Amino acid sequence: MSTLATDASERLRQIIARAEALYDDLDFKVVKEWKEQGKNRKAIGFLPIYVPREVIHAAGALPVGIMGGADRIEIVRGDSYFQSYICHFPRSVIELAVSGRLDACDGFLFPSICDVVRNLSGMFKMLFEGKWTHYLDLPQNFDNRLGGRFYKNEMRTIAREVGKLTGVEVTDKRLRDSITVFNENRTALRRLVHARRDRPWEIPTIDYYLLLRAAYLLPVEEHTAMVNEYVELSAQAGRPRMDNIRVAVRGAFCEQPPLGLLRTLERAGCYVVDDDFVLGSRFIEQDVDHHGDPWDALADGFMNRSLPTASKYDQRGTKHADFVQRVRDFKADGVIFMAPSFCDPALLDQPMLVKALENAGIPNTSFKYSEDTGQFQVIREQAGTFADALKLWGKA
Amino acid sequence: MKGATAEKDASMQKQKEMIASHFTELARVKDTGKKVVYTFVPGNLTELINHFGMLPVLPEINALQSGMRGKSAEYISIAEKAGHSEDVCTYVKTDIGMLKAGNIGPTGEPLPKPDLLLLSYTGCFTFLKWFELLREEYDCPVIMLHVPYQGEGEITPEMRSYVADQIREVVIPQFEKVSGVKYNEERMREQMRLSVRAEDDLVWVLNSARAKPSPIDSWFGGVYYIGPMFTSFRGTQDAVDYYTMLREEVQERMDAKLGPVTPDGQAKEEKYRLVVEGPPNWTSFREFWRMFADEGAVIVASSYTKVGGLYDRGFRHNPDDPIGSMADYCMGCYTNLNFPQRTEMLERYINEFQADGFLINSVKSCNSFSAGQLLILRELEKRTGRPGGFIESDLVDPRYFSAANIKNRLESYFQMIEAKRKGAKS
Ligand code: SF4
Ligand code: SF4
């Protein structure tokens, strides 16, 4: 290995060590530190999938993604709030909350994703009466005059309420500036996603994933720098190319898979070249206009240009075609559906997507997981068999 | 008593005839040319559908009836074999399975295909997926009516205008296009006047359970009473007549100090007055009801009978503002309330109906109802000091109805109430 490659590998290791430390930071220390560095700094926790972080940023607060505790916290009290047939995610969010780990957050935003998160918003209202808690109803009507107007009003409510906490008024100028810094972040994430699409052996799934997760804890500017540096150096590290198949993953947009599961996929011979992990970090892939009316621009981003996902109504009726096109654009050989157990949106969406793939002759397989799954043997065998079959019998 | 039973038969008979004639109409659409709209119960736009001379089909009701007719296990299995997860709502799977098995309705005849899918998206995310799935089977337009959730515990003017504008600018024009009929506000006012009359009587019936003994069972019996109101008949003379009859019959029972009629006839002594949260189970409906009736337990109020509107908390359709009140109606259904509102409503029921305790029937299918119910349980116990019970079942999947288990739980629950009574006396 050349010195350049060694230096690059070492620096990449450091970046990922930092990202992993953030991932492990279940006490949200990094958020507390950020708050201590300035006067009247506030943090707003938000749940999957998507909230307009630009608005929170423009109000001078830190948007903090709350993604559950994966396999790293013991659920002591969370289970007493949910029946066995509810997914794992809300119990670990409740566990984080009742154990005081979310105290760094001064408010919470619950976007409309499913009935579980919806109900959780009201549970937070009852359990944490003093905290600002808001349910963000994202529009399912994608007409600018109807859903668009409603959504802009929702965003303005958030701006006003968060602004009350921070003492900052969200002016159009501030919001445009926030859009600009998030556009820089979007550019960095596009580079990361494309680098993985083109050279997946240079960016292990786990690194990619940890970089996405860092987006939910770091100030956006810092995260952009982190991703840019990683992508640049990844091309120099000289990582070996394996004979893996290329897969797209769907279903993991809310409750997140444990890291062990992501490692297992790669070890089983699958490069994940497209996915819906931490989807809110890149829900609007292309830049948002930062010249005109910023509220219109953000509404347009969500309404007309955000990625398709199970909790969003497919108004145009193009979900089959769009999905197949995406799989082809990312040159995936096959698709792995991996959804959290009991996740209604993901599991109800799946048969439609499977049908689209079958009509297009694209191989696929599916399994369920829970964020605290600890045994991966079965999944390893299934993914391994899928990879072997594709290698043997040809790819899509 | 005889008179009361005869009256009961009359209202039951009336309801049966209404349903039968609805299904006859559905079976005859090829001849009559009437258009068919599939839509959901919560926040439904029945007056509007009738206004355009169209016929509603409610897939949830099909699923419920399939459950009662012992068909749902087979339908669920068909859907699961076709790739639907065992984890998801069984109403959807029952409907999909029924469709794959020929879409045979409760009368034994195939249901007509929809000319329109009205996705009135109130109080449940699964609806969205359900109609995306149905859309794949039918070649017809879909209207998405996005009904915002009362996340902050209120209906804001912005929410109201969002829904009203969608009704005005999307729903009505699409209905006009499919039906060929023009919207006529005056005629709609007339329909709404009829809605209000029936709504007043339904509320009277539900409130009759404040009496001791309660002349009605507000959950098992309640599901029959809400039938015409929550489905295809609101805003019709038939519905007005049905509720008049029902009211008279309940009045008679009240005058005679009679309890409700149960699957085994006249209820025994009223021993426990309960408030119930959650839907019932349909696959073992009568067996389930008996478990209560045998113990002298009467449900005096329930949240399930509010999934199609909170009439008892004051809502009425408003003939002076038809579209605005449709919007309010859509947003006001029980499952569109936030958690603090739901808890508060149950608390009021417990107090106002002088219940001995409350029970949660947590159904596996329904995240909308079930997610977080354990918090409601603890909160209500704390606020009211009355014992809370918790049982688990499903709507239409018989695999999740364990009679022995539920019976045990109920027995311990009734013992808890007894212990509390003794404690209070000593
Ligand atoms: S994992 Fe699925 S069901 Fe659970 S909260 Fe997330 S979206 Fe809802
Ligand atoms: S989740 Fe609940 S409200 Fe939604 S369709 Fe299923 S049973 Fe009905």
Side-chain angles (χ1 to χ4, degrees), chain B residues 206 217-220 222-223 226 274-278 299-307 310 312 334 345-346 349 353 369:
Chain B
L206 293 174
D217 184 289
S218 217
W219 196 41
F220 294 111
V223 300
I226 57 175
L274 304 179
V275 168
V276 172
E277 145 74 7
I299 316 304
V300 288
S302 70
S303 54
Y304 184 67
T305 47
K306 314 297 152 35
V307 291
L310 295 185
D312 65 326
Y334 179 71
M345 189 179 112
L346 290 164
Y349 283 160
F353 287 77
F369 256 107

Side-chain angles (χ1 to χ4, degrees), chain A residues 79-86 112-116 118-119 121-123 125-127 133-135 137-141 145-147 149-150 153 310-315 317 319-320 341-342 344-345 347-349 351-352 355 368, chain B residues 83-89 92 119 121 123-126 128-129 132-133 135-136 142 144 146 148-149 151-152 158-159 162 165-166 169-170 335 338-340 342-343 362-364 367-368 370-375 378-379 390 392:
Chain A
D79 279 339
S80 66
Y81 288 85
F82 294 99
Q83 302 89 323
S84 56
Y85 49 78
I86 307 275
S112 49
I113 164 172
C114 75
D115 295 321
V116 174
R118 185 197 73 174
N119 289 3
S121 72
M123 294 171 73
K125 277 194 191 303
M126 282 164 65
L127 288 167
T133 302
H134 184 79
Y135 179 75
D137 221 331
L138 293 159
Q140 298 285 5
N141 175 307
R145 286 170 312 115
L146 298 164
R149 197 170 60 207
F150 176 74
N153 185 64
S311 61
K312 210 177 98 183
Y313 179 55
D314 170 30
Q315 182 146 325
K319 74 192 296 171
H320 296 70
S341 296
F342 304 109
D344 267 32
L347 292 168
L348 286 162
D349 209 41
M352 291 182 263
K355 189 164 142 195
K368 290 184 287 188
Chain B
H84 289 271
S85 168
E86 63 189 52
D87 289 359
V88 302
C89 169
V92 183
L119 172 43
Y121 171 66
C124 165
F125 277 77
T126 298
L128 190 160
K129 298 282 104 185
E132 280 187 358
L133 283 159
R135 174 170 76 177
E136 308 211 322
V142 190
M144 155 59 93
H146 178 207
Y149 179 61
E152 306 309 310
E158 290 80 9
M159 288 159 72
Y162 178 37
D165 289 349
Q166 289 180 84
E169 295 174 31
V170 182
T335 45
N338 78 1
F339 249 61
R342 277 173 65 181
T343 313
S362 172
V363 291
K364 174 181 175 283
N367 286 349
S368 174
S370 305
Q373 274 172 331
L374 287 158
L375 178 63
R378 285 200 287 276
E379 192 64 25
F390 198 81
E392 290 181 281

Side-chain angles (χ1 to χ4, degrees), chain B residues 35-256:
Chain B
K35 303 292 181 201
V36 176
V37 185
Y38 285 17
T39 194
F40 294 108
V41 171
N44 65 47
L45 298 179
T46 295
E47 289 89 350
L48 210 49
I49 296 172
N50 290 337
H51 188 85
F52 291 99
M54 299 196 273
L55 296 170
V57 168
L58 301 154
E60 296 149 289
I61 303 291
N62 294 344
L64 172 169
Q65 284 172 338
S66 299
M68 281 186 143
R69 287 184 299 131
K71 291 272 189 194
S72 51
E74 177 199 336
Y75 293 156
I76 290 168
S77 146
I78 294 173
E80 288 181 357
K81 281 194 190 110
H84 289 271
S85 168
E86 63 189 52
D87 289 359
V88 302
C89 169
T90 50
Y91 265 8
V92 183
K93 285 186 288 187
T94 302
D95 187 46
I96 301 268
M98 173 171 137
L99 186 126
K100 290 194 185 295
N103 223 18
I104 307 296
T107 53
E109 293 202 60
L111 289 171
K113 290 183 176 172
D115 298 287
L116 188 67
L117 294 170
L118 171 59
L119 172 43
S120 61
Y121 171 66
T122 292
C124 165
F125 277 77
T126 298
F127 291 157
L128 190 160
K129 298 282 104 185
W130 193 339
F131 270 15
E132 280 187 358
L133 283 159
L134 282 199
R135 174 170 76 177
E136 308 211 322
E137 309 288 335
Y138 301 115
D139 185 23
C140 73
V142 190
I143 304 175
M144 155 59 93
L145 171 62
H146 178 207
V147 176
Y149 179 61
Q150 293 197 40
E152 306 309 310
E154 59 173 353
I155 297 172
T156 63
E158 290 80 9
M159 288 159 72
R160 195 167 194 261
S161 67
Y162 178 37
V163 179
D165 289 349
Q166 289 180 84
I167 294 175
R168 209 174 287 117
E169 295 174 31
V170 182
V171 180
I172 291 180
Q174 186 69 266
F175 273 12
E176 289 182 328
K177 205 166 141 199
V178 171
S179 68
V181 175
K182 273 256 155 250
Y183 177 70
N184 176 332
E185 186 110 332
E186 264 321 302
R187 200 152 54 78
M188 180 51 87
R189 289 185 211 282
E190 268 315 307
Q191 287 179 260
M192 289 213 163
R193 278 183 200 112
L194 296 178
S195 299
V196 173
R197 285 174 58 191
E199 287 161 2
D200 284 345
D201 282 343
L202 171 68
V203 170
W204 186 94
V205 169
L206 293 174
N207 281 335
S208 72
R210 289 169 192 240
K212 284 186 181 177
S214 165
I216 62 164
D217 184 289
S218 217
W219 196 41
F220 294 111
V223 300
Y224 294 100
Y225 307 149
I226 57 175
M229 181 64 74
F230 287 7
T231 60
S232 324
F233 307 102
R234 208 178 49 242
T236 66
Q237 186 60 44
D238 267 341
V240 172
D241 295 345
Y242 166 78
Y243 284 103
T244 310
M245 258 180 206
L246 180 66
R247 181 176 173 160
E248 284 167 4
E249 155 198 325
V250 173
Q251 179 72 62
E252 270 193 50
R253 305 184 63 75
M254 236 159 120
D255 294 346

Side-chain angles (χ1 to χ4, degrees), chain B residues 247-308:
Chain B
R247 181 176 173 160
E248 284 167 4
E249 155 198 325
V250 173
Q251 179 72 62
E252 270 193 50
R253 305 184 63 75
M254 236 159 120
D255 294 346
K257 295 226 171 296
L258 287 175
V261 176
T262 74
D264 298 318
Q266 182 55 55
K268 291 183 283 198
E269 176 205 4
E270 178 182 284
K271 268 169 76 185
Y272 310 108
R273 295 170 63 84
L274 304 179
V275 168
V276 172
E277 145 74 7
N281 159 277
W282 304 114
T283 47
S284 303
F285 186 76
R286 288 184 160 258
E287 185 184 357
F288 196 21
W289 189 349
R290 274 195 191 100
M291 290 183 198
F292 290 78
D294 288 350
E295 299 283 345
V298 177
I299 316 304
V300 288
S302 70
S303 54
Y304 184 67
T305 47
K306 314 297 152 35
V307 291

Side-chain angles (χ1 to χ4, degrees), chain A residues 21 46 53 64 69 116 123 130 150 155 185 191 205 235 256 258 263 265 277 284 289 308 310 335 381:
Chain A
F46 68 91
R53 285 178 292 159
V64 176
V116 174
M123 294 171 73
F150 176 74
M155 286 193 286
N185 192 255
R191 287 178 68 203
T205 307
Q256 295 294 290
R263 286 197 188 94
L265 289 184
F277 309 139
I284 304 171
D289 174 44
V335 173
E381 274 164 26

